[in-house]
Amino acid sequence: MARFLTKRLAGAFIVLVLVSLMSFAIIWLVPGDPTAAFLDTSATPEQVARLRHELGLDQPLIIQMLDWYGRILHGDLGQSILLKRSVTAALLERLPVTLSLTSVALTLALLIGVSAGIVAAVNHNRWPDQVVMTAALFGLSVPDFWLGIMLILLLAVQFDVFPTGGYVPLGEDPLGWLESIVMPAITLAVIQVGFIARMTRASMLEVLSQDFIRTADAKGLTRTDIMLRHGLPNALVPVLTVAGIVAGSLLGGAVIIEQVFSIPGVGRLIIGGILSRDYPVIQGGLLFLAVIYLGVNLAVDILYAAIDPRVRLE
Amino acid sequence: MKRWKGFGVAALGAALLLAIPGAALAQTKGGNVVIGIVQAPPSLDAHVTTAQAARNITLQIYETLYARDKNAKPVPELAEGVKISEDGKTYAFAIRQGVKFHNGKELAANDVVASIERYRKVGASAALLNAIDTVQATGPREVTITLKDVQSTFLDNLSSPRAPIAIYPAEEAAKPANQINYIGTGPFRFVEYKPDSHVKIERFDGYVPNPNAEGRDGLAGKKEVYLDSVTFRFMPEAGSRNAALEAGEVQLLETVDGPTAKRLQNDKNYVVYKVLPFAFQVIKFNHAQPPTSDVNFRLAVQAALDMEEVMAISYPDIYQMDGAWLYPGAAFYTTDNTGKYNEADLSAAKALLAKSGYKGEKLTFIVDNLRANTDTATVVQQRLKEIGIDVELSVADWPTVSKIGFTPTGWNFWAHGYGIEPYEGPASVMAPWVGGTSQQKKDETIDRLYADLTASMEEGKRKQIFADFQKHMYDNAVAMKAGNYGLFQVASAKLKNFEPSRIPRMWDVWLEQN
Amino acid sequence: MSSVTLDSAVASHGPTWHVASRLLHNRSFVIGAGLVLTIALLAVFASGLAPFDPLRNSFRTRLRPPDATYWFGTDHFGRDILSRVLFGARISLTIGLLTALATGIAGTLIGATAGFFRSLDNPVMRLMDALMAFPAILLAIAVAAVLGASVPNVIIALAIATTPHTARIVRASVLVVREHEFVEAARALGATELRILFRHVLPNALGPLIVRLTYVFATAILAEAALSFIGLGPPPPAPSFGSIIAQGRDFIAEAPWVTIFPGLAIIVSVLGLNLLGDGLRDVLDPRMRT
């Protein structure tokens, strides 16, 4: 197990180095710089140059890179140019927000998706199966931001059921938190539900067709018994693998949903950083996301390896 | 008896006089107003940025030596007044007595000197103070500034709200750009800034209003605050902003689109304010790149465009057709020589086009992704198609566009607004074209006119200079003005006595509590 | 194991009409293909079908709700939304198709290289992992911000975001066959590495690749819409599904039809492609059942 872990960690480290190089490439290549947020169109080239100097932007890229890597070794992601605080603080402050959104969405998606998948598998090729699968496919085909906008229009503007956007922290006001998170989480969950339902159905079907199920049936166990004690646990293992993919997809979806619902999460921070050329935020944010993504995948791999010894020998 | 009666009447009258203001005022103290603004301020250090988002807040917590009144004229704010020497090169400012900073410190001359010197070093519009030779505290409450040359616009510059020359305590002024604590003398004090969320300011109970002023007066005046606090929420999405207003989460929106304003006009829960004019919509040419380097081509484009179509689509219900390069009502405003504005004459355009060297090449129109600007570009593109000019839109975000737009290659046209310059006055309107900064090629006529304007102290002469500038803008098609546009601002009906201005001023307003 | 590969080897080399017949009996495939074909035809014949010029401004007819003349209403330029959606289908489908092709080519080259040439496997796949460590949409946004907004750049951005996963799939297929006896046999007979790669190994990847590309096509349409929403999609006045929605955003409460109809168009297109992908997967790559 230890060797497995070391191999994984080494691989993850290399990926992180590549990610940081890529973010430098983005910064080097993307035209424009943060001065545009400070100055208006009447700024003379001298004023722009002076501000660039003050912000430390006129240093050669190599120096900036070495500087950044040096700071990273101390765990310092730098200072945001436009937000006036450390990138680490900004990220840590926003992480719970994005986690709220993604975990509520994941819970919803798992609850609805897994149940729907089971219903579909058990009623294979009959009408509940068709209905579930069609609904799942629809879920995968809807543009997430469009759905979000439509929901806002309907539930927030027309029928004043939910707020139009923004985020209320859980600690501050649990009811408010719930209200502010429901629509975004539902929007985010819709895409995942389809995927999870299809996956669950497929792996349930595969498991149900296997010999040990037929044996259990022959032994006289009730259908429910078979399902819950033998079928489901085995079917869930591949669903676990999917968890890694879903995590990545959720993170990406969260990025857009945060824009639509004006939720101050990590995704919005990074998009904002890209659009305003806040370089430390871009670099720190992308690295942070990569760490989370790799972390989740690693956790899933470890769980999988713990369950299935064959994987460890890979 | 008679004396009693007289006395009784007088007493009654006095009682009535005392009662009536009490009844009529009905200003209620208290409450928090939430304002939905489009962008977060890049900084709350007023010196370092010209962003509107910053001004919305900084002009409420800081004050300046001189400020603009409701007619945009510079009047004393932290100064009592000024004595200008005969030769026009020495300004002696008397500083008001007893003004308090938010940290309790009393304003003194050295704070003013430190702030002005800081601005000369790090100010976003430091060029405004280029004429200064020395700044000195010549007394505990007197600051003397000497200029290298006579500058007719010095007080205008000192009171420029664009990147305000805010007066900080000397200790703060000693700090580098962006590293200050936000301490000013304004009627509000800074409370908190939550990135990506909001800025909160609260009433400064130690505020000393300007005793020499009367009532609300532009960005100057005697400012009185009734609200407890104001929160500026950053909401870049127009849809979210509108929805937040209608859900009661915010009480004032910095800007609202036409159709929404029209819809809310009939709703007695809201008051719709029309701020017109707020800015010029300008379409710039790149004079360093053919064919826009060719005056005949530019004149052809100028003749072809139907500016009413541009304005009606880009700024529905909130535009003015006006070819002058100042706002109506400004001292030097004139419509002389604006004959070439909005000609919309395709045949004349074709004739001019034939005189130019344009051979049908693809041209680039850069524009940021603000809807009004892309709409302007789209309308122009379609219109120019009709006389055979092939224009391609290049939409990018603002940092990219503002970078390309200040280089001599990569663009032919660029459209965006000019808001604060016409407000500030003729010199500010002319400044972007000086030294070829905006058009990417020096224009000697404009450079000469600008130098004359700043050097001349005589009103009549300055008025003529500006008129000449305007004529040159049209005769040479230096850049094209499409029209004036404004803003719709919508507030909850509970917000009383609000009057829109360059920023949403939160002094002299109150919330109806019931 | 080897019988499965021989089966698929037979399937890809065998008579095409076996595959075609199985496809035509697959419900998903038929419905999906029907939807996609319909939209494609509408796109191809857009100039004939569209009642109005999608680019023509007419400020007298601004923001009309759907009526007899303007079936889908008009936007704030006065442009007919039905016409814009029809032409939008052209742009969106083109972007989707070209993205799928680009990722197909790039993904195959990269995946095949990694799978077949052992020494290159690790470095290449680490690079792919690094790309996959970003949420795809963020990668697309970053690339689009660097390159600037235009149809070709959107395609490049989306292709970059979808290639890593495609490369993985191709590599997996290549790995399965790489060690096989008939490959050894071919080598012994003197075939060059490249020939082995192209004639024996890659065809094995064709099935999963086609399925993947169909899903990429669908993803690209959704992603282009999201990019337009952020402001990095095809520039105006081009009507792609996403940019019609983006350009109507300011007027959403006043004129929701500008947002609703292109959204529905996206749903139908992507649904069709997903069904198509499912059908193809059922027939070409049963191992991939999800």
Side-chain angles (χ1 to χ4, degrees):
Chain A
M1 187 63 161
R3 233 189 26 181
F4 173 78
L5 212 60
T6 329
K7 254 186 78 181
R8 287 308 209 186
L9 282 173
F13 180 74
I14 298 177
V15 169
L16 285 177
V17 171
L18 285 172
V19 164
S20 64
L21 285 173
M22 272 179 214
S23 55
F24 266 109
I26 292 174
I27 288 171
W28 179 48
L29 293 169
V30 72
D33 61 36
T35 58
F38 285 84
L39 303 175
D40 60 19
T41 43
S42 301
T44 60
E46 295 83 45
Q47 281 166 342
V48 176
R50 217 222 339 236
L51 185 58
R52 279 181 62 85
H53 177 73
E54 245 149 51
L55 297 175
L57 298 172
D58 54 356
Q59 289 187 320
L61 193 64
I62 297 290
I63 310 272
Q64 293 191 44
M65 276 174 75
L66 290 173
D67 195 33
W68 190 78
Y69 280 114
R71 266 189 273 124
I72 280 284
L73 293 175
H74 294 109
D76 174 15
L77 288 173
Q79 186 87 348
S80 158
I81 296 175
L82 290 165
L83 297 180
K84 274 212 49 160
R85 55 211 301 255
S86 81
V87 176
T88 322
L91 285 168
L92 288 177
E93 193 184 64
R94 282 181 172 61
L95 187 60
V97 180
T98 302
L99 281 180
S100 283
L101 178 61
T102 48
S103 39
V104 173
L106 185 61
T107 312
L108 279 173
L110 280 174
L111 280 173
I112 301 177
V114 170
S115 344
I118 295 176
V119 167
V122 163
N123 291 290
H124 186 42
N125 283 332
R126 292 201 291 276
W127 68 264
D129 186 13
Q130 314 283 31
V131 168
V132 167
M133 283 300 102
T134 312
L137 209 52
F138 254 99
L140 288 175
S141 310
V142 176
D144 43 10
F145 70 94
W146 181 85
L147 182 64
I149 293 176
M150 292 283 109
L151 279 178
I152 293 180
L153 203 57
L154 203 63
L155 296 176
V157 178
Q158 200 78 343
F159 295 118
D160 206 1
V161 180
F162 292 109
T164 58
Y167 175 80
V168 177
L170 180 57
E172 214 175 271
D173 174 16
L175 191 63
W177 172 80
L178 197 63
E179 276 183 344
S180 66
I181 209 86
V182 165
M183 275 203 307
I186 290 180
T187 314
L188 192 51
V190 164
I191 316 260
Q192 314 305 329
V193 163
F195 189 53
I196 293 177
R198 278 148 68 96
M199 257 249 77
T200 312
R201 171 185 180 274
S203 65
M204 271 296 275
L205 282 177
E206 201 175 297
V207 165
L208 284 176
S209 66
Q210 288 190 351
D211 290 338
F212 75 88
I213 294 290
R214 271 179 280 177
T215 317
D217 194 32
K219 274 164 65 180
L221 290 169
T222 63
R223 282 196 81 206
T224 334
D225 227 16
I226 297 176
M227 207 67 60
L228 291 176
R229 282 183 52 202
H230 298 282
L232 197 53
N234 280 289
L236 283 181
V237 169
V239 177
L240 192 63
T241 345
V242 159
I245 307 174
V246 170
S249 173
L250 269 177
L251 224 55
V255 161
I256 298 292
I257 297 301
E258 285 174 12
Q259 281 293 110
V260 176
F261 289 90
S262 303
I263 292 176
V266 174
R268 192 140 175 261
L269 175 68
I270 299 180
I271 291 193
I274 294 178
L275 294 179
S276 60
R277 310 291 191 268
D278 196 341
Y279 300 143
V281 169
I282 299 177
Q283 287 164 284
L286 290 177
L287 197 70
F288 187 76
L289 277 183
V291 167
I292 293 183
Y293 181 78
L294 289 170
V296 169
N297 271 303
L298 192 62
V300 168
D301 281 348
I302 291 178
L303 265 166
Y304 211 16
I307 300 177
D308 186 348
R310 288 175 297 172
V311 175
R312 271 176 259 165
L313 299 174
E314 226 178 61
Chain B
M1 262 310 162
K2 242 186 169 174
R3 244 201 356 219
W4 267 115
K5 213 170 164 201
F7 183 74
V9 169
L12 190 61
L16 280 172
L17 270 172
L18 285 172
I20 287 174
L25 273 176
Q27 297 124 336
T28 35
K29 226 173 177 168
N32 175 50
V33 168
V34 183
I35 305 182
I37 60 175
V38 179
Q39 271 172 347
S43 174
L44 290 178
D45 178 349
H47 291 179
V48 308
T49 171
T50 51
Q52 171 75 35
R55 283 200 286 277
N56 285 337
I57 301 166
T58 55
L59 286 174
Q60 321 225 32
I61 61 181
Y62 303 119
E63 292 180 312
T64 46
L65 213 52
Y66 263 63
R68 300 296 185 99
D69 70 8
K70 61 174 169 287
N71 297 315
K73 280 177 61 79
V75 296
E77 182 165 66
L78 288 176
E80 290 268 8
V82 69
K83 276 221 304 262
I84 311 180
S85 66
E86 286 267 327
D87 63 356
K89 294 212 268 197
T90 308
Y91 288 69
F93 296 95
I95 310 296
R96 267 172 49 210
Q97 202 171 31
V99 177
K100 291 274 199 285
F101 281 105
H102 298 146
N103 59 1
K105 180 184 180 200
E106 191 172 312
L107 174 69
N110 67 325
D111 300 309
V112 176
V113 171
S115 302
I116 294 182
E117 288 289 22
R118 181 177 194 264
Y119 197 87
R120 292 174 76 190
K121 281 207 300 280
V122 305
S125 305
L128 289 172
L129 301 179
N130 274 349
I132 292 186
D133 193 13
T134 64
V135 185
Q136 275 169 340
T138 44
R141 267 189 300 280
E142 188 186 70
V143 172
T144 304
I145 301 182
T146 59
L147 304 181
K148 297 181 215 143
D149 287 298
V150 169
Q151 191 182 54
S152 61
T153 50
F154 183 64
L155 287 177
D156 297 277
N157 291 354
L158 210 55
S159 58
S160 160
R162 190 186 319 172
I165 306 175
I167 304 300
Y168 299 150
E171 312 80 63
E172 297 302 328
K175 298 184 184 164
N178 250 332
Q179 314 251 2
I180 57 169
N181 292 311
Y182 310 125
I183 300 176
T185 58
F188 285 96
R189 69 187 317 163
F190 170 78
V191 173
E192 69 174 0
Y193 173 18
K194 200 146 187 282
D196 221 9
S197 175
H198 65 269
V199 170
K200 189 163 182 188
I201 61 179
E202 70 181 4
R203 180 178 62 238
F204 172 43
D205 287 315
Y207 178 66
V208 181
N210 190 348
N212 306 319
E214 272 178 40
R216 184 165 56 190
D217 189 12
L219 295 170
K222 187 178 187 154
K223 307 171 195 163
E224 203 157 345
V225 178
Y226 301 99
L227 300 172
D228 284 340
S229 57
V230 179
T231 306
F232 295 85
R233 260 181 73 181
F234 326 136
M235 312 177 75
E237 295 284 308
S240 306
R241 283 200 302 275
N242 297 341
L245 177 77
E246 298 187 65
E249 292 158 20
V250 308
Q251 285 79 44
L252 172 63
L253 290 183
E254 180 189 23
T255 170
V256 157
D257 59 272
T260 307
K262 218 169 17 197
R263 182 167 56 86
L264 294 177
Q265 203 131 43
N266 303 319
D267 188 335
K268 59 178 162 54
N269 292 316
Y270 307 106
V271 182
V272 176
Y273 299 93
K274 219 171 166 172
V275 192
L276 185 63
F278 192 78
F280 293 165
Q281 182 70 345
V282 175
I283 303 166
K284 303 203 299 211
F285 290 113
N286 181 353
H287 293 213
Q289 188 88 328
T292 38
S293 49
D294 177 353
V295 65
N296 285 313
F297 181 82
R298 296 197 302 268
L299 287 169
V301 172
Q302 187 176 248
L305 294 183
D306 178 351
M307 295 306 192
E308 178 114 40
E309 188 187 34
V310 171
M311 297 306 289
I313 288 182
S314 308
Y315 297 101
D317 303 315
I318 192 80
Y319 68 93
Q320 272 173 347
M321 299 308 295
D322 186 336
W325 282 83
L326 281 173
Y327 294 141
F332 295 174
Y333 173 83
T334 170
T335 46
D336 288 350
N337 294 309
T338 58
K340 292 196 169 63
Y341 172 66
N342 196 21
E343 276 185 302
D345 185 343
L346 290 176
S347 36
K350 281 197 206 136
L352 284 160
L353 189 63
K355 285 207 285 191
S356 78
Y358 181 64
K359 297 275 181 299
E361 317 85 88
K362 212 177 203 138
L363 305 179
T364 307
F365 198 135
I366 60 172
V367 76
D368 66 290
N369 43 32
L370 199 63
R371 183 195 56 80
N373 290 336
T374 41
D375 285 358
T376 298
T378 309
V379 174
V380 170
Q381 180 203 43
Q382 294 301 309
R383 179 79 173 174
L384 292 182
K385 206 155 74 167
E386 294 185 57
I387 57 171
I389 300 182
D390 185 8
V391 175
E392 192 177 68
L393 260 55
S394 174
V395 181
D397 52 22
W398 181 250
T400 305
V401 170
S402 59
K403 181 152 197 257
I404 301 177
F406 284 106
T407 58
T409 53
W411 63 286
N412 294 98
F413 305 91
W414 182 13
H416 64 77
Y418 276 102
I420 196 86
E421 292 83 350
Y423 169 82
E424 287 190 327
S428 287
V429 171
M430 291 171 67
W433 315 101
V434 172
T437 309
S438 297
Q439 67 274 47
Q440 294 300 308
K441 187 161 163 230
K442 272 191 178 194
D443 185 322
E444 287 182 358
T445 314
I446 294 181
D447 289 359
R448 183 182 37 87
L449 286 169
Y450 185 75
D452 287 348
L453 183 77
T454 45
S456 164
M457 297 295 273
E458 208 207 293
E459 283 298 281
K461 197 148 168 253
R462 298 173 69 215
K463 192 165 182 183
Q464 183 56 47
I465 293 172
F466 186 75
D468 291 342
F469 165 77
Q470 185 164 286
K471 179 166 193 292
H472 180 73
M473 290 300 280
Y474 278 103
D475 287 349
N476 195 267
V478 176
M480 299 182 291
K481 190 181 164 196
N484 295 343
Y485 66 89
L487 292 177
F488 285 110
Q489 296 189 329
V490 181
S492 155
K494 293 210 170 82
L495 185 65
K496 299 295 183 196
N497 204 35
F498 176 72
E499 203 186 272
S501 168
R502 292 309 306 180
I503 62 160
R505 296 167 303 179
M506 289 289 106
W507 56 84
D508 295 301
V509 302
W510 57 91
L511 269 181
E512 189 176 73
Q513 323 254 20
N514 53 1
Chain C
M1 223 355 206
S2 36
S3 60
V4 172
T5 26
L6 275 173
D7 274 352
S8 23
V10 164
S12 51
H13 282 116
T16 332
W17 78 264
H18 269 309
V19 174
S21 135
R22 280 164 70 194
L23 282 175
L24 287 172
H25 279 88
N26 181 295
R27 224 233 224 96
S28 281
F29 179 84
V30 170
I31 301 181
L35 283 174
V36 174
L37 227 60
T38 312
I39 304 237
L41 285 173
L42 286 175
V44 165
F45 294 109
S47 359
L49 292 166
F52 296 93
D53 177 354
L55 302 181
R56 196 125 174 250
N57 312 331
S58 153
F59 67 87
R60 265 157 282 279
T61 58
R62 297 171 57 239
L63 297 174
R64 292 263 179 87
D67 60 25
T69 331
Y70 302 104
W71 291 6
F72 286 0
T74 61
D75 65 10
H76 69 289
F77 277 90
R79 299 178 299 205
D80 175 39
I81 297 293
L82 172 61
S83 307
R84 284 180 70 74
V85 169
L86 285 172
F87 277 91
R90 267 196 200 174
I91 297 183
S92 293
L93 289 183
T94 307
I95 292 180
L97 187 63
L98 290 179
T99 303
L101 284 176
T103 194
I105 296 175
T108 305
L109 285 173
I110 297 175
T113 312
F116 202 65
F117 300 108
R118 235 165 304 204
S119 51
L120 293 173
D121 189 7
N122 233 333
V124 171
M125 286 327 280
R126 287 290 146 262
L127 195 60
M128 293 297 107
D129 283 342
L131 284 173
M132 282 174 76
F134 300 119
I137 192 69
L138 213 50
L139 190 56
I141 289 175
V143 175
V146 167
L147 296 175
S150 71
V151 171
N153 290 343
V154 167
I155 294 174
I156 294 175
L158 294 178
I160 292 181
T162 50
T163 296
H165 192 41
T166 310
R168 256 226 186 131
I169 290 175
V170 173
R171 172 182 174 271
S173 301
V174 166
L175 281 179
V176 164
V177 188
R178 185 175 72 181
E179 306 304 320
H180 272 282
E181 277 149 16
F182 68 87
V183 171
E184 284 299 314
R187 232 180 240 128
L189 286 174
T192 61
E193 291 299 296
L194 275 178
R195 190 181 155 84
I196 296 176
L197 183 62
F198 279 99
R199 269 213 71 189
H200 299 283
V201 176
L202 276 184
N204 190 57
L206 204 58
L209 183 64
I210 291 179
V211 175
R212 163 74 183 158
L213 292 187
T214 316
Y215 290 133
V216 167
F217 195 153
T219 308
I221 295 184
L222 287 171
E224 176 270 312
L227 277 178
S228 298
F229 175 73
I230 304 274
L232 292 168
S240 68
F241 292 153
S243 61
I244 302 176
I245 298 178
Q247 286 170 47
R249 206 156 94 222
D250 279 1
F251 300 98
I252 186 147
E254 276 60 47
W257 50 89
V258 181
T259 309
I260 294 176
F261 289 109
L264 294 177
I266 295 179
I267 295 179
V268 172
S269 314
V270 176
L271 188 63
L273 285 165
N274 276 329
L275 282 168
L276 194 62
D278 282 357
L280 285 167
R281 182 209 60 214
D282 286 346
V283 171
L284 294 177
D285 186 20
R287 283 171 295 159
M288 239 180 87
R289 292 202 82 101
T290 45

